[in-house]
Amino acid sequence: MPTTSDLLTIRENSLNRHRDWKQRFLTADLIVQNKWSTVWADLKVSEGDPTIENLYLEALEDKAGAAGAILPYVDVAPTRGTRNDRAEIDAQLRRRVFVSLMQDSRLEVKQVQWIMDWLVGGAMYGMPWANADAPQYPFLVRPDPRFVYPVAHDSRGDLSQALIIRNRTVADLESDYAGNGRLREILGKFQDQNNAERINRDIEELWYLDGEQWGVALVDAHKDHMGSFRYVAPTQESRGVMADWLIPPHKHKMEKCPLVERRKTWADGEYRGALDPMI
């Protein structure tokens, strides 16, 4: 199990390694939101809507809508060499499992989101999940690539270690982890460290995943609120000064890292969106 010191080191290295990627994400997000800065001849800068058509946004919506319009078809072939009708019955049962997984995952919505992730950021991520009150009904979740920091890949190119880092408010954490007794203890440590009456900063929720285990930690990075900025600002130094495990790492009982990555290939091996050449 990584210690909190190891975790902070992995976090800092990952933030530095992927800083340029996250900066491109930020630029693309601002273009999608029609937030433009115009530099005039006298070097004055003004903020406003674009004076021409936003071709980047139109290309993004058009390509995502076209590619996401057709859902994948699931066909499970009967096992070869099986006699009677048992093979066909087993195949239909397995197909129902896959179809149920697709429906419970709301794949028709996630497919468009995954395509947008590919076009804007050059990578898409999926992970199996199940709610505590219904563990027999798994579904797929889509971690936002803005939060994901790949750490290592195996010899086949599959993700073998990763971090998911999100800025969360204390109210959000208290809502999501209401039954976790360590939450108040950890927040109390952060409060004492900051010598403040209450925590007035966003807290980083950091998920750690590798081929054998997963866990959730909280990191006090001494950052001020950044408004609607949901992920770590690529232009801001963010040194983690204190961390503690909210859910200590434990085995996830899966064959490999549960976070699955599909990324666009570039000659330099960098993470870059498919539409980045338009920027």
Side-chain angles (χ1 to χ4, degrees), residues 8 32 62 73 90-91 133 143 166 172 177 213 229 232 263:
L8 289 175
V32 169
D62 181 70
Y73 175 76
D90 290 344
D133 57 349
R166 298 193 296 170
D172 287 339
Y177 299 99
Q213 54 189 355
F229 209 104
V232 179
R263 58 182 291 193

Side-chain angles (χ1 to χ4, degrees), residues 152-208:
H153 296 78
D154 61 20
S155 58
R156 298 174 62 90
D158 295 330
L159 199 62
S160 60
Q161 189 181 31
L163 303 178
I164 302 177
I165 306 175
R166 298 193 296 170
N167 287 341
R168 307 295 304 278
T169 64
V170 173
D172 287 339
L173 294 172
E174 289 176 338
S175 175
D176 289 353
Y177 299 99
N180 191 314
R182 284 190 50 77
L183 178 61
R184 285 285 95 197
E185 177 185 343
I186 296 174
L187 293 179
K189 290 180 181 178
F190 290 175
Q191 181 174 322
D192 293 341
Q193 182 74 15
N194 296 332
N195 294 321
E197 294 182 359
R198 60 184 299 272
I199 297 176
N200 56 1
R201 299 180 176 92
D202 285 342
I203 303 297
E204 282 186 13
E205 176 194 48
L206 189 153
W207 288 46
Y208 172 85

Side-chain angles (χ1 to χ4, degrees), residues 5 17 35 57 107 110 116 131 138 149 154 159 163 190 201 206 218 226 233 246-247 249 258 260 272 276:
S5 177
R17 176 185 176 189
K35 294 181 179 179
L57 179 58
L107 198 62
K110 286 189 175 64
M116 286 189 173
N131 292 326
Y149 292 81
D154 61 20
L159 199 62
L163 303 178
F190 290 175
R201 299 180 176 92
L206 189 153
L218 297 183
M226 300 205 59
L246 181 62
I247 301 177
V260 178
R272 191 177 290 110
D276 270 20

Side-chain angles (χ1 to χ4, degrees), residues 16-278:
N16 290 331
R17 176 185 176 189
H18 296 295
R19 191 174 301 278
D20 290 343
W21 179 33
K22 303 305 178 182
Q23 178 61 55
R24 288 191 291 272
F25 247 127
L26 175 57
T27 302
D29 286 346
L30 293 175
I31 293 175
V32 169
Q33 297 168 23
N34 277 325
K35 294 181 179 179
W36 294 73
S37 298
T38 303
V39 181
W40 301 97
D42 58 359
L43 299 183
K44 290 184 178 180
V45 179
S46 63
E47 306 288 339
D49 293 336
T51 56
I52 60 173
E53 195 173 4
N54 192 336
L55 297 180
Y56 182 92
L57 179 58
E58 288 193 1
L60 174 63
E61 293 179 339
D62 181 70
K63 291 179 180 295
I70 302 176
L71 290 175
Y73 175 76
V74 177
D75 183 24
V76 180
T79 304
R80 296 181 60 183
T82 307
R83 298 181 179 180
N84 301 324
D85 295 330
R86 192 178 78 246
E88 181 65 29
I89 294 174
D90 290 344
Q92 290 300 322
L93 289 175
R94 292 197 300 273
R95 183 179 182 278
R96 289 181 188 177
V97 171
F98 282 109
V99 171
S100 296
L101 179 64
M102 292 169 56
Q103 292 175 343
D104 293 343
S105 303
R106 300 178 182 176
L107 198 62
E108 69 278 3
V109 176
K110 286 189 175 64
Q111 183 165 285
V112 176
Q113 294 175 321
W114 274 323
I115 294 168
M116 286 189 173
D117 292 342
W118 175 272
L119 294 170
V120 175
M124 60 181 77
Y125 297 91
M127 185 170 65
W129 193 254
N131 292 326
D133 57 349
Q136 71 274 28
Y137 299 115
F139 54 92
L140 300 176
V141 296
R142 166 196 161 265
D144 194 322
R146 294 165 181 81
F147 306 148
V148 178
Y149 292 81
V151 177
H153 296 78
D154 61 20
S155 58
R156 298 174 62 90
D158 295 330
L159 199 62
S160 60
Q161 189 181 31
L163 303 178
I164 302 177
I165 306 175
R166 298 193 296 170
N167 287 341
R168 307 295 304 278
T169 64
V170 173
D172 287 339
L173 294 172
E174 289 176 338
S175 175
D176 289 353
Y177 299 99
N180 191 314
R182 284 190 50 77
L183 178 61
R184 285 285 95 197
E185 177 185 343
I186 296 174
L187 293 179
K189 290 180 181 178
F190 290 175
Q191 181 174 322
D192 293 341
Q193 182 74 15
N194 296 332
N195 294 321
E197 294 182 359
R198 60 184 299 272
I199 297 176
N200 56 1
R201 299 180 176 92
D202 285 342
I203 303 297
E204 282 186 13
E205 176 194 48
L206 189 153
W207 288 46
Y208 172 85
L209 307 102
D210 63 22
E212 296 182 352
Q213 54 189 355
W214 76 283
V216 180
L218 297 183
V219 179
D220 182 13
H222 279 195
K223 300 191 307 298
D224 294 328
H225 279 296
M226 300 205 59
S228 62
F229 209 104
R230 301 166 297 156
Y231 53 104
V232 179
T235 56
Q236 179 181 3
E237 291 296 327
S238 177
R239 182 178 297 276
V241 296
M242 190 174 183
D244 205 345
W245 288 109
L246 181 62
I247 301 177
H250 57 281
K251 292 186 178 299
H252 48 60
K253 299 180 181 179
M254 302 188 72
E255 293 183 356
K256 53 171 48 178
C257 180
L259 185 63
V260 178
E261 174 191 71
R262 290 295 178 266
R263 58 182 291 193
K264 179 171 176 54
T265 302
W266 292 93
D268 58 359
E270 180 60 78
Y271 284 84
R272 191 177 290 110
L275 295 182
D276 270 20
M278 295 184 63

